[in-house]
Amino acid sequence: MINQNQMTVSCDSQGSLLFIHIQVLKLFKSLHRTRQEVFKNDTKALEAARQKINEEFRNNRDETSEEKINELLKIASDVEVILRTSVIQAVHTDSDKIAISVSGYAA
């Protein structure tokens, strides 16, 4: 079972394995939605973030350790929060001007 506040998983039966799979998929989709919002005008950052998210999930898709799954869910959840609240992008618009885009839609 997953506790949404602590992002912990318990793998005690087939039903809970399906539940874990659903929670992992929800987090995967949430990271991609956040990526699209935060980097919406930056195609290079969008692609780099897409590749990194997919790579990390792919590299860990066969994980069976409850402890490791909990750790990975916590990391992914933390990354999603950091993207939503802490990304600042700057673009040179002129020789002496910079346009700044700050992420941070409400959590």
Side-chain angles (χ1 to χ4, degrees), residues 1 6-7 10 13 20 25 34 42 58 75 78 87 99 103:
M1 142 195 306
Q6 297 176 348
M7 294 303 290
S10 175
S13 71
I20 292 166
L25 185 58
T34 299
D42 186 340
R58 190 179 312 109
I75 290 168
D78 290 348
V87 173
S103 69

Side-chain angles (χ1 to χ4, degrees), residues 70-92:
N70 286 329
E71 180 183 325
L72 292 167
L73 286 171
K74 175 71 171 117
I75 290 168
S77 179
D78 290 348
V79 166
E80 199 266 339
V81 169
I82 289 167
L83 284 173
R84 274 192 286 117
T85 60
S86 302
V87 173
I88 298 173
Q89 293 181 288
V91 176
H92 259 280

Side-chain angles (χ1 to χ4, degrees), residues 15-28:
S16 67
L17 289 176
L18 178 60
F19 183 72
I20 292 166
H21 179 76
I22 290 168
Q23 294 304 310
V24 169
L25 185 58
K26 282 183 180 180
L27 189 51
F28 178 80

Side-chain angles (χ1 to χ4, degrees), residues 88-106:
I88 298 173
Q89 293 181 288
V91 176
H92 259 280
T93 58
D94 202 357
S95 62
D96 62 345
K97 294 181 184 174
I98 296 175
I100 296 177
S101 174
V102 179
S103 69
Y105 55 92

Side-chain angles (χ1 to χ4, degrees), residues 2-18:
I2 291 185
N3 177 328
Q4 292 290 353
N5 296 328
Q6 297 176 348
M7 294 303 290
T8 57
V9 177
S10 175
C11 302
D12 57 0
S13 71
Q14 279 299 102
S16 67
L17 289 176
L18 178 60

Side-chain angles (χ1 to χ4, degrees), residues 43-84:
T43 55
K44 287 182 181 180
L46 277 166
E47 181 59 20
R50 184 189 70 76
Q51 288 179 6
K52 185 63 173 174
I53 292 165
N54 290 347
E55 175 187 337
E56 292 298 325
F57 275 80
R58 190 179 312 109
N59 289 343
N60 294 291
R61 71 177 167 205
D62 296 325
E63 185 59 58
T64 58
S65 164
E66 180 179 334
E67 185 176 325
K68 183 67 174 178
I69 293 169
N70 286 329
E71 180 183 325
L72 292 167
L73 286 171
K74 175 71 171 117
I75 290 168
S77 179
D78 290 348
V79 166
E80 199 266 339
V81 169
I82 289 167
L83 284 173
R84 274 192 286 117

